[in-house]
Amino acid sequence: MEIIQGILIIALSVWMVWDQQGLVVTTWFPIMVALFAGIIMGDMTTAMVIGGTFQLMALGVANIGGSSVPNWGLAALVGIYVAIRTTNNIEEAKAVALAVGVPVGMLGIQLDVLAKILNTYVTHAAQSAANKMNFKKMNRILWLGPVIFGLSTAVPTALCVIFGDRIVNLILNFVPEWFTDGLSIAGGMLPVVGIALLLQVMPVKKYLTMLLIGFVLAAYLNLPILGVSIIGFALAYYFFTTEMKKGTPGVATEVGTVDEGDDFDE
């Protein structure tokens, strides 16, 4: 039974990242991951308590523009597995889950950056095959993308399933600082690239004023993102209603004006 649970936990970690990068059916949020992990481990109460704890840590955290953030979904998954395996007390289980899950979540940042870097080579190789009209080879190459992302979560999960939390701390202590610093720098550059790509497809020149207002509110006035969003919604609604009024012709314009000399008598 333990072997089956371990295999299912590893499979869930792979599905989690595939779902995050693609369909988003079950979502990768910790509380949702905890639901399925609780079903697999047979202890829904402990799983949901741990999932709720990591969900609070994940509130307001999003990988906008391709940025890499701590993988709290993976942290919750590994923490639930190790905690349920080592203790039956919920308070102790929560402490164990945090002790194991937080390093895994932080390690997830580096693995996510590494997966994205490797996938750039996959994309270029697929593009090269497409340029040569070799579409079968292109499709085979593109399958490497999901495999790389799947390994980025399956490997740390499998190590934790087999060796527990000791292997995670060992990896973090063994990896040289220059390597993790390099991945952190690459991760910091990804949001800039993502935002630049978004600006290319958005009508920035037309709405440059709105963009500058949002930037000033967020960067200089330190207005929370919710406040900036509300102001943005208000401006968008005002613009929409104004344009609708401009674009709606009067009844007289559609049916034509009636001259005073027109005679409607039969």
Side-chain angles (χ1 to χ4, degrees):
M1 187 62 181
E2 292 184 4
I3 295 177
I4 296 176
Q5 287 177 334
I7 293 173
L8 291 176
I9 288 293
I10 296 172
L12 179 58
S13 71
V14 175
W15 167 254
M16 180 184 66
V17 71
W18 283 353
D19 192 50
Q20 177 186 3
Q21 301 295 332
L23 300 176
V24 193
V25 176
T26 57
T27 77
W28 64 97
F29 296 117
I31 196 65
M32 293 300 298
V33 174
L35 174 64
F36 297 102
I39 295 174
I40 293 172
M41 300 302 298
D43 188 349
M44 187 63 72
T45 302
T46 302
M48 296 306 289
V49 168
I50 295 173
T53 302
F54 280 102
Q55 184 65 50
L56 292 174
M57 301 172 66
L59 289 177
V61 177
N63 55 337
I64 299 173
S67 61
S68 297
V69 297
N71 194 333
W72 297 125
L74 179 63
L77 178 62
V78 172
I80 289 168
Y81 178 84
V82 175
I84 293 177
R85 278 277 172 264
T86 55
T87 180
N88 294 322
N89 183 280
I90 292 183
E91 291 301 322
E92 292 180 0
K94 187 161 54 172
V96 171
L98 289 173
V100 176
V102 171
V104 173
M106 300 305 294
L107 180 63
I109 300 177
Q110 317 300 338
L111 294 176
D112 183 65
V113 173
L114 184 61
K116 289 174 180 176
I117 291 174
L118 292 176
N119 270 306
T120 59
Y121 295 101
V122 173
T123 304
H124 288 306
Q127 184 178 11
S128 177
N131 292 337
K132 298 176 182 178
M133 301 298 177
N134 193 344
F135 299 112
K136 290 184 178 180
K137 182 179 179 181
M138 178 194 73
N139 288 330
R140 290 196 300 269
I141 293 173
L142 288 176
W143 276 106
L144 291 175
V147 171
I148 292 172
F149 273 113
L151 289 175
S152 70
T153 53
V155 170
T157 304
L159 292 175
C160 290
V161 167
I162 298 172
F163 299 105
D165 62 310
R166 296 187 301 275
I167 188 66
V168 180
N169 293 322
L170 178 64
I171 292 174
L172 291 176
N173 293 329
F174 177 76
V175 173
E177 186 176 354
W178 61 265
F179 184 74
T180 56
D181 289 345
L183 291 179
S184 298
I185 294 172
M189 294 173 61
L190 287 175
V192 179
V193 178
I195 292 174
L197 291 173
L198 288 175
L199 292 177
Q200 283 187 337
V201 299
M202 294 174 64
V204 177
K205 293 182 179 179
K206 185 176 181 181
Y207 302 108
L208 181 61
T209 305
M210 308 299 179
L211 179 64
L212 294 176
I213 290 174
F215 178 77
V216 170
L217 291 174
Y220 291 96
L221 301 180
N222 296 322
L223 190 68
I225 189 64
L226 179 60
V228 177
S229 301
I230 293 173
I231 294 175
F233 174 77
L235 292 173
Y237 182 76
Y238 174 78
F239 176 80
F240 174 77
T241 53
T242 303
E243 291 298 313
M244 287 295 292
K245 291 178 180 178
K246 290 181 180 178
T248 304
V251 177
T253 305
E254 290 191 12
V255 301
T257 57
V258 179
D259 295 333
E260 294 181 359
D262 289 344
D263 188 4
F264 291 97
D265 294 335
E266 297 182 359

